[in-house]
Amino acid sequence: MCKEHSHIHTHDHDHNHEHTHDHDCCCSEHTHSHTHEHEHDCCCDGISKEEKTLRVLLAHWIQHNKSHTDDFEQWIVRAKEMGKEETAEYIKKAVEFIDSANNMLLEAKKRM
């Protein structure tokens, strides 16, 4: 399930957070009848809705982080243009940490 962001951005930025994902499980659209009752906790492809959601979230988080690092890269240049070298260095380090976090999220996604 895609949830709305629970945080507030207090800065202006150009990227949008729109994204589309198919969150529906094909199991919810069974058209054949059953002669016994049971719950469908998984999608027809054999993975649970929760696992499918986590896969979607991992991909979304990686892309979301990337959109922020793109903004940060622009501000590194701007900070340098303002003569704020130390500020630019800290922003650059933040980008490195986000890239490292994204690598960990990618590894998590590979292990799904």
Side-chain angles (χ1 to χ4, degrees):
M1 253 178 258
C2 187
K3 296 181 180 177
E4 292 185 16
H5 294 291
S6 60
H7 61 274
I8 298 172
H9 288 277
T10 58
H11 60 278
D12 293 330
H13 54 276
D14 296 23
H15 69 279
N16 69 40
H17 296 278
E18 291 182 22
H19 56 278
T20 58
H21 305 290
D22 180 14
H23 294 289
D24 295 329
C25 175
C26 61
C27 293
S28 63
E29 298 178 355
H30 280 299
T31 57
H32 60 276
S33 61
H34 294 280
T35 57
H36 59 276
E37 290 185 19
H38 65 278
E39 291 184 20
H40 269 285
D41 291 334
C42 68
C43 293
C44 291
D45 58 3
I47 45 179
S48 69
K49 286 183 182 182
E50 193 169 53
E51 185 174 338
K52 189 174 182 181
T53 298
L54 181 55
R55 288 177 185 217
V56 170
L57 284 172
L58 285 166
H60 171 71
W61 293 333
I62 292 165
Q63 184 56 43
H64 181 87
N65 288 347
K66 178 70 175 125
S67 70
H68 282 296
T69 59
D70 291 344
D71 289 343
F72 295 162
E73 293 284 350
Q74 293 174 13
W75 281 102
I76 291 169
V77 173
R78 290 178 183 173
K80 287 180 180 180
E81 289 171 351
M82 289 185 273
K84 304 292 184 183
E85 294 294 326
E86 192 174 16
T87 300
E89 278 303 308
Y90 277 100
I91 298 170
K92 182 179 175 189
K93 288 180 189 220
V95 169
E96 291 169 3
F97 281 116
I98 292 170
D99 287 343
S100 179
N102 265 358
N103 287 335
M104 289 180 225
L105 291 171
L106 275 170
E107 288 301 319
K109 188 176 176 205
K110 287 178 189 176
R111 286 159 173 77
M112 287 297 299

